[in-house]
Amino acid sequence: MASKDAPDVELAPRTTSYDFLGPPGALFVTLTVPAITYGLYFGCSEANGCTPNLFTIPDQIVASMSDPDWWVSLWDTQAFLVYLAWYAYTVVAWFVLPGDWIQGTTLRTGGKKYYKLNGMTRSLVLGHVLLQWFLAFPTALLVLGLTVGTIYRFGPSSFTLLYEKWIGFVTASVVMATAQAIYCYAFSFRKGKLLALGGNSGNFIYDFFIGRELNPSIGSFDIKSFNELRPGLILWLLIDISMACEQAVRRGGMSEITDSMWLSAIFTTMDITTDGFGFMLAIGDLSWVPFVYSLQARYLVFKQIELGPVWTAVIFLANATGYYIFRGANGEKNDFRSGSNPKNLKYMTTASGSKLLTSGWWGWSRHPNYLYGKDWDTYKKLVPYRIVPYIY
């Protein structure tokens, strides 16, 4: 859903500079991100105890990739169908479950897109308290209810499929990401599409990776924001639950799960205002987030660690503090970018005309992305500390 755009804005300006070292870098990341996702599974597995022999890795890679049976083992029809059903559920839930339509930032056309939020991310976007995750998110709440009900009725062994068929689910997510990236790239050439400033270089490899169209949509269904806020993030939580169930099966019940397992799920999100939707975001949202971020939970299935109450409290406090800072800093940034600035935060204007926050959370520690010439010297004076205030 979008408001009316200004008619005199160029929709497809040519990209004038490259990120990721241009097409070679884009190709490298396109190939290595899926490879690393698979590699983390094979390199940190129950068979090797997450202590692979580094000297034999090259030989093992060559042997595996030259074996047709190894390639066949990456595919699991049941896992693929389950993944498709999961993705279909999130799409249907987006359409039928209630949710708020949130206005996005102003596009360079002058219009604004509206995003329907009924997933598990409203607090991440609007800065609501953590408790509201479970009060206002029908998509996640419904699937969590079904998951908990299944585990309660049939026991933890009923929800270990994600552990048992891990590599099949990874392959399913890679196929889905690749298919969406191809679809969005192909349809970005249709007339009237608003292209991303960084994704219209004319080079197929680079534009496919970065994403040509800024906000690819099917009607009011925005593909980019949907993928970033629903299938991967909620699946991450379900994977962690599945890992806990697998550990419970091995240890004799849910009450026997190690305290370290309960501390493994943390949520995050990405900026959707600038980048186009290409393979980079697709593979990140659908494969990297759920299957790499849950690596710790999978590790704890076969490397069971008892932290004890003291270290459990310390880790919980560290996570809670980090989340508080994360939400506070991003809340200030979101308010500032939307033009409200309710805290009257100070800022500096750079030579390029952009504005950088220099107070609030952004005044305590320097942002690593702020690097440009004389503006950097001014910024260092306004924000003197690199990471830890008054220390470094």
Side-chain angles (χ1 to χ4, degrees), residues 45-193:
S45 67
E46 192 163 2
N48 61 29
C50 279
T51 55
N53 187 330
L54 299 180
F55 297 102
T56 63
I57 287 179
D59 293 336
Q60 291 175 348
I61 292 176
V62 172
S64 296
M65 296 187 68
S66 60
D67 183 1
D69 291 336
W70 181 83
W71 289 100
V72 172
S73 71
L74 301 181
W75 177 263
D76 188 304
T77 301
Q78 182 184 9
F80 184 76
L81 294 176
V82 171
Y83 184 86
L84 284 183
W86 159 249
Y87 197 93
Y89 159 78
T90 59
V91 173
V92 172
W94 184 92
F95 278 102
V96 303
L97 295 179
D100 296 329
W101 284 94
I102 306 300
Q103 180 176 272
T105 58
T106 302
L107 303 172
R108 66 176 187 270
T109 59
K112 292 187 176 183
K113 281 189 68 67
Y114 289 82
Y115 303 95
K116 184 179 182 181
L117 295 182
N118 61 2
M120 196 171 179
T121 54
R122 181 177 176 184
S123 64
L124 295 177
V125 177
L126 300 180
H128 287 227
V129 295
L130 183 61
L131 177 61
Q132 287 184 307
W133 280 12
F134 300 99
L135 298 179
F137 312 129
T139 304
L141 192 60
L142 178 57
V143 74
L144 285 176
L146 293 172
T147 300
V148 172
T150 299
I151 296 170
Y152 179 80
R153 176 65 178 84
F154 301 103
S157 62
S158 64
F159 201 69
T160 59
L161 186 68
L162 286 165
Y163 179 83
E164 296 164 357
K165 296 183 176 293
W166 180 284
I167 207 66
F169 283 109
V170 171
T171 299
S173 70
V174 171
V175 171
M176 176 64 78
T178 304
Q180 291 198 27
I182 293 173
Y183 169 87
C184 290
Y185 179 81
F187 275 78
S188 70
F189 289 93
R190 299 181 69 179
K191 186 179 179 180
K193 296 294 186 180

Side-chain angles (χ1 to χ4, degrees), residues 279-297:
F279 186 78
M280 176 179 68
L281 289 184
I283 198 71
D285 295 340
L286 301 180
S287 299
W288 189 267
V289 167
F291 294 103
V292 173
Y293 289 5
S294 56
L295 178 65
Q296 304 94 321

Side-chain angles (χ1 to χ4, degrees), residues 100-370:
D100 296 329
W101 284 94
I102 306 300
Q103 180 176 272
T105 58
T106 302
L107 303 172
R108 66 176 187 270
T109 59
K112 292 187 176 183
K113 281 189 68 67
Y114 289 82
Y115 303 95
K116 184 179 182 181
L117 295 182
N118 61 2
M120 196 171 179
T121 54
R122 181 177 176 184
S123 64
L124 295 177
V125 177
L126 300 180
H128 287 227
V129 295
L130 183 61
L131 177 61
Q132 287 184 307
W133 280 12
F134 300 99
L135 298 179
F137 312 129
T139 304
L141 192 60
L142 178 57
V143 74
L144 285 176
L146 293 172
T147 300
V148 172
T150 299
I151 296 170
Y152 179 80
R153 176 65 178 84
F154 301 103
S157 62
S158 64
F159 201 69
T160 59
L161 186 68
L162 286 165
Y163 179 83
E164 296 164 357
K165 296 183 176 293
W166 180 284
I167 207 66
F169 283 109
V170 171
T171 299
S173 70
V174 171
V175 171
M176 176 64 78
T178 304
Q180 291 198 27
I182 293 173
Y183 169 87
C184 290
Y185 179 81
F187 275 78
S188 70
F189 289 93
R190 299 181 69 179
K191 186 179 179 180
K193 296 294 186 180
L194 177 63
L195 303 188
L197 294 177
N200 188 31
S201 69
N203 182 279
F204 161 72
I205 294 174
Y206 185 81
D207 294 347
F208 170 78
F209 172 73
I210 292 293
R212 286 190 85 242
E213 188 177 354
L214 181 61
N215 297 300
S217 304
I218 302 174
S220 61
F221 180 77
D222 185 81
I223 296 174
K224 180 169 64 173
S225 63
F226 173 82
N227 278 310
E228 292 197 358
L229 303 179
R230 285 176 179 78
L233 283 176
I234 303 175
L235 181 58
W236 176 11
L237 173 60
L238 296 180
I239 290 173
D240 283 350
I241 294 174
S242 182
M243 301 306 103
C245 286
E246 177 66 24
Q247 193 188 86
V249 170
R250 299 181 182 207
R251 292 174 64 93
M254 296 298 288
S255 62
E256 301 300 321
I257 294 176
T258 59
D259 42 24
S260 56
M261 179 64 79
W262 297 110
L263 300 173
S264 58
I266 308 167
F267 298 94
T268 188
T269 186
M270 300 173 65
D271 189 4
I272 63 173
T273 62
T274 305
D275 295 329
F277 185 77
F279 186 78
M280 176 179 68
L281 289 184
I283 198 71
D285 295 340
L286 301 180
S287 299
W288 189 267
V289 167
F291 294 103
V292 173
Y293 289 5
S294 56
L295 178 65
Q296 304 94 321
R298 189 171 66 84
Y299 172 81
L300 291 171
V301 170
F302 50 85
K303 285 285 186 178
Q304 299 164 9
I305 299 172
E306 294 287 357
L307 295 173
V310 175
W311 283 112
T312 299
V314 169
I315 294 176
F316 180 83
L317 180 62
N319 277 300
T321 302
Y323 181 80
Y324 175 76
I325 295 173
F326 167 78
R327 276 308 327 134
N330 278 279
E332 290 177 351
K333 179 188 67 176
N334 292 336
D335 289 339
F336 186 74
R337 285 183 174 179
S338 66
S340 59
N341 195 13
K343 296 182 179 179
N344 294 317
L345 299 176
K346 298 178 181 178
Y347 62 90
M348 63 171 282
T349 303
T350 68
S352 64
S354 61
K355 297 177 180 180
L356 309 182
L357 286 170
T358 59
S359 65
W361 283 110
W362 302 89
W364 285 105
S365 177
R366 296 176 195 163
H367 194 291
N369 290 346
Y370 294 168

